Amino acid sequence: MAQVNDLSRSLTAFDLISTLVVVVEMSKASWLVSGAVPGVERQPLKKLEPDATALLRLIERWWNEAVRAGRPISRIALAYEAGRDGFWLARWLTARGIEAHVIHSASVAVSRERKRAKTDRLDAAMLMRVFLGWLRGERGHCGMVAIPTMEEEDARRPSRERESLINERSRITNRMKSALARLGVRGFKPHLRKAPERLAGLRTAEGTGLPANIIEEFRRDMARLALVREQINSIEKTRAERLERAPDTGPHAMVRLLARVIGIGIETADMLVREILSRKLRDRRAVARYAGLTGSPDESGLKRREKGLPKAGNARVRRGLIQLAWRFLMFQKNSALARWYRTRTEGPSGARKTTMIVALARKLLIALWRLVTTGEVPDGVELRPAG
């Protein structure tokens, strides 16, 4: 398999005297723009309103200053930290001939002083240092985030919206159950469709009916539950219809292939493909690292210990994979991965199941990544017939 650039360093030769380097410290209220202009001794710094057109005009002004200083510009490289503004600015600048990069915030080393000074000016200077190191091709300064297209970002929305609605449904249900527990009522399931009809028949521990205000509150909550349930069904139905009409190429083919694995449904397959498997990751270690399923060792001198999961990757993928690992043990009992798990957890000296399930999730992710990229079916895994 061809090696993929992991964006930890630039692979383009960096010519300092013909490259205009710009970094933007972005916030909701303003943008602080810092530049390294060839032929200009000072390092200009300018605060702007959050306006892409004004940023473009500033870059053109610095370009003209470099030309007047006798340094014709052949490359403009701009970077900013990933944050609330997302990737629209990078796409907008790229369409106008500017090389735009988005810095992974967690990849930038910061001072460990207890009360370090932090201002936009200092942050802009720090971004300029790490960006220049990255442009020189040196590892360890920072890492860049792959810039998705508008279509790739939009394709993740249904899965993320559904997860948010599932959490909203659980929040409403748990609040109602807590209110009932304070009245001594147990066993009532407010998420059922016929729950509103059974409210009047509930009795508290004192033998009385529910108070009037609680009944009114529950009816409002159940109306919200019905709306959330309807929206979840709408998302699932629309996604299934789009998948049927979609061509059998790219991410759609990956989703169909994953859904053939017994124990993996359309929802899980779509989430894995959109969030991680369709990304151009370097190797299996990068795949596991992106999901936050690698270890975090703590070694110093004679001390050797493992601090557990770093939880620095995609939390949505990590949660889904651990749930999938438990489900995989139920539906793929004869697979090599399931046998590997059982041999290490069974018996009096077996490891804890909750600890080993994370290791199984990591192995399962790598196996599924190989399945969708090379077509290699994991040993012993059963597939549904092709539709």
Side-chain angles (χ1 to χ4, degrees):
M1 184 181 299
Q3 291 293 316
V4 179
N5 180 20
D6 60 359
L7 302 179
S8 62
R9 62 191 179 99
S10 175
L11 301 181
T12 305
F14 178 52
D15 185 8
L16 183 61
I17 64 175
S18 64
T19 303
L20 173 59
V21 182
V22 181
V23 296
V24 185
E25 173 63 22
M26 305 176 72
S27 66
K28 183 179 179 180
S30 63
W31 292 352
L32 186 63
V33 187
S34 176
V37 184
V40 177
E41 185 67 24
R42 64 183 177 85
Q43 184 169 313
L45 198 67
K46 180 70 174 178
K47 179 172 285 191
L48 301 174
E49 295 291 328
D51 182 11
T53 305
L55 175 62
L56 191 59
R57 287 198 299 266
L58 178 63
I59 293 174
E60 291 175 353
R61 193 181 81 191
W62 288 346
W63 172 301
N64 294 329
E65 288 184 15
V67 172
R68 287 196 298 269
R71 299 291 177 84
I73 300 298
S74 61
R75 179 186 180 190
I76 301 177
L78 181 144
Y80 63 91
E81 271 190 299
R84 64 180 294 274
D85 286 274
F87 304 97
W88 72 268
L89 180 60
R91 290 192 294 260
W92 190 85
L93 292 170
T94 301
R96 284 153 180 80
I98 296 176
E99 180 186 331
H101 302 277
V102 180
I103 300 175
H104 196 304
S105 303
S107 68
V108 179
V110 297
S111 172
R112 295 187 294 175
E113 295 178 8
R114 184 169 177 268
K115 290 186 178 181
R116 68 181 181 92
K118 186 183 184 307
T119 65
D120 288 345
R121 184 182 295 269
L122 292 176
D123 288 346
M126 177 188 63
L127 288 181
M128 179 61 74
R129 287 195 301 271
V130 299
F131 188 39
L132 287 173
W134 185 88
L135 288 172
R136 291 193 297 267
E138 302 171 4
R139 295 187 184 273
H141 288 277
C142 66
M144 297 297 172
V145 181
I147 300 173
T149 63
M150 182 74 75
E151 292 73 18
E152 290 172 340
E153 279 197 292
D154 188 61
R156 299 171 193 160
R157 297 311 310 166
S159 178
R160 296 184 177 187
E161 182 188 4
R162 182 183 180 277
E163 183 184 25
S164 177
L165 290 172
I166 293 292
N167 293 337
E168 176 69 11
R169 183 179 65 183
S170 299
R171 185 184 66 82
I172 296 174
T173 302
N174 292 339
R175 189 179 67 237
M176 295 175 68
K177 288 182 177 180
S178 298
L180 289 173
R182 288 193 293 270
L183 298 174
V185 180
R186 301 185 183 277
F188 182 70
K189 299 180 180 179
H191 61 278
L192 297 179
R193 295 182 185 274
K194 294 186 178 180
E197 304 172 7
R198 300 173 182 172
L199 272 180
L202 291 179
R203 291 294 180 268
T204 65
E206 292 88 353
T208 62
L210 297 182
N213 288 334
I214 282 192
I215 291 181
E216 293 177 3
E217 178 186 348
F218 279 9
R219 293 196 185 281
R220 289 188 291 268
D221 284 338
M222 289 177 179
R224 294 191 192 99
L225 281 176
L227 177 59
V228 169
R229 189 186 305 117
E230 179 183 348
Q231 291 177 342
I232 292 173
N233 293 337
S234 175
I235 292 172
E236 294 173 348
K237 181 181 178 181
T238 304
R239 179 171 48 206
E241 292 174 352
R242 288 178 178 172
L243 185 61
E244 289 180 1
R245 297 192 304 265
D248 196 14
T249 56
H252 304 296
M254 292 182 180
V255 173
R256 291 191 179 101
L257 180 57
L258 276 187
R260 288 184 57 197
V261 178
I262 297 177
I264 299 181
I266 292 293
E267 164 59 29
T268 303
D270 184 75
M271 183 274 294
L272 290 176
V273 169
R274 303 298 181 182
E275 296 288 346
I276 184 170
L277 297 181
S278 60
R279 293 176 177 268
K280 295 180 180 179
L281 296 174
R282 184 185 67 249
D283 52 21
R284 61 187 180 89
R285 291 183 179 86
V287 174
R289 191 181 305 114
Y290 180 82
L293 290 172
T294 54
S296 51
D298 182 13
E299 300 180 359
S300 178
L302 298 178
K303 181 176 68 173
R304 296 288 187 276
R305 71 186 184 98
E306 188 69 36
K307 295 189 292 185
L309 294 181
K311 296 184 178 181
N314 191 315
R316 186 175 290 103
V317 173
R318 184 167 57 253
R319 289 193 302 266
L321 276 170
I322 292 177
Q323 294 172 6
L324 176 60
W326 289 112
R327 194 162 65 245
F328 189 82
L329 294 175
M330 297 173 55
F331 290 93
Q332 300 284 352
K333 296 181 179 180
N334 297 323
S335 64
L337 289 175
R339 295 196 302 269
W340 174 88
Y341 176 84
R342 288 196 297 269
T343 56
R344 283 160 176 77
T345 55
E346 291 178 348
S349 59
R352 290 182 57 187
K353 293 184 178 181
T354 53
T355 301
M356 292 304 298
I357 202 65
V358 177
L360 176 63
R362 180 170 57 247
K363 286 181 172 292
L364 180 58
L365 173 61
I366 295 171
L368 296 178
W369 173 68
R370 287 173 174 162
L371 173 64
V372 298
T373 54
T374 66
E376 177 186 350
V377 180
D379 185 19
V381 170
E382 298 180 12
L383 302 180
R384 300 183 181 93

